[in-house]
Amino acid sequence: MHENSESAIKGYFSNIITPRTGKDYRAILKTKENWEKGADDFSIWVRQNTILSAASVLEVYIVAACTVVFSACPELIDRSLLGINSVSFIKHVDRLPTGYRRMIKKRSEDPTKGKWSDRIRKLEMEIGRVPSQVSSLVPKLQELQDKRNRIAHSYGAEGELRRTPWEPITAISAEEADILETFKVVDTVSKALDRDLFAPLIGGYEIINEYHSWLCAQNQTYARPIEELAFGFRKYLGQSFGQTPGSAYIKAMIEYYNNVPPP
């Protein structure tokens, strides 16, 4: 890898002193033993970053799902909006209350801060009771968070001293079993939250929001027949997401969207 990239490195950073390369010389790791140790360190580094990524993906999912829930159910943010159809805010974004989106952002990020017991409590206070399947995994989620934090800190100033910033970290162990357990926990928690907490509140809000965005990007769509609109939107959904609801559902959704009055 070093040999193949040396010319590019030299081209951009002419003052860098790079190891010799050639047919009989393979950069820094000269011996078979050094290569094996380097490969082992790299494997640990990859597993560490997999744990970091999985923990981050779960948090990103929770923030995204909360954002859509609060958008679909504005009364969860402001009780004065009880009874307001959230689709009317899609069509008339200028009618949104002052600071509404800022409040959604703050409230959506709250369940990703602090210990997992606090996160679950925030979800229940703001949205509703979480599935027991998720509550039972709080200890596992906390273990994941603690390990994620130890790995992240080891990469920074709190970690062991390293000769170079890119030297593989071996202080925090990360085995294949850790990866599989992490994937299992993240998968179980995200699916349970999606199925039992978020999806019932979101309903068809997402697809209506997508339809509104698609509609605004078209030309003279309001004059087109509903069959033509449904065909065009289903085609767009298929190309963008790989699947689409049936035409009867899309037509009913468009009729519903058309009949929603201003807030």
Side-chain angles (χ1 to χ4, degrees), residues 29-202:
L29 303 176
K30 304 175 185 178
T31 67
K32 177 176 178 293
E33 290 73 19
N34 284 346
W35 273 104
E36 289 174 347
K37 175 63 167 57
D40 290 342
D41 285 346
F42 181 73
S43 295
I44 293 173
W45 182 81
V46 169
R47 290 196 290 270
Q48 288 176 340
N49 278 272
T50 301
I51 291 174
L52 285 174
S53 298
S56 298
V57 164
L58 180 57
E59 292 185 353
V60 169
Y61 161 72
I62 290 174
V63 171
C66 286
T67 299
V68 181
V69 165
F70 291 137
S71 300
C73 306
E75 67 275 10
L76 294 176
I77 292 291
D78 184 342
R79 295 299 293 173
S80 69
L81 299 177
L82 184 65
I84 296 291
N85 190 329
S86 58
V87 176
S88 65
F89 284 144
I90 294 177
K91 296 173 65 176
H92 304 279
V93 68
D94 57 308
R95 305 286 185 92
L96 283 172
T98 303
Y100 180 68
R101 285 180 168 169
R102 184 170 62 253
M103 181 61 71
I104 285 181
K105 183 177 186 297
K106 180 183 181 302
R107 293 276 291 275
S108 297
E109 292 173 351
D110 282 346
T112 61
K113 298 176 181 177
K115 300 287 188 182
W116 265 100
S117 57
D118 298 328
R119 300 180 183 195
I120 295 300
R121 178 61 179 152
K122 290 173 184 175
L123 275 175
E124 292 188 326
M125 290 175 62
E126 296 179 358
I127 297 179
R129 190 169 184 82
V130 304
S132 57
Q133 193 176 18
V134 174
S135 299
S136 65
L137 286 173
V138 166
K140 292 285 187 182
L141 287 166
Q142 191 57 51
E143 287 178 14
L144 172 59
Q145 181 188 354
D146 292 343
K147 188 147 200 168
R148 179 259 173 218
N149 290 342
R150 289 198 304 273
I151 292 171
H153 291 160
S154 74
Y155 287 1
E158 298 178 22
E160 60 178 327
L161 293 177
R162 305 190 299 283
R163 290 179 294 108
T164 58
W166 53 85
E167 183 178 355
I169 302 298
T170 58
I172 308 300
S173 66
E175 306 298 331
E176 289 185 15
D178 298 326
I179 303 301
L180 294 175
E181 182 65 18
T182 295
F183 285 166
K184 181 180 178 181
V185 170
V186 169
D187 182 66
T188 300
V189 168
S190 58
K191 284 181 177 177
L193 287 175
D194 192 68
R195 181 185 64 244
D196 299 329
L197 183 65
F198 296 134
L201 294 171
I202 294 172

Side-chain angles (χ1 to χ4, degrees), residues 233-261:
F233 183 57
R234 290 187 73 237
K235 182 179 179 181
Y236 160 78
L237 287 177
Q239 292 173 341
S240 302
F241 305 103
Q243 56 184 357
T244 177
S247 58
Y249 175 89
I250 296 297
K251 288 178 183 178
M253 182 210 70
I254 294 175
E255 289 176 351
Y256 174 81
Y257 170 90
N258 291 340
N259 292 326
V260 171

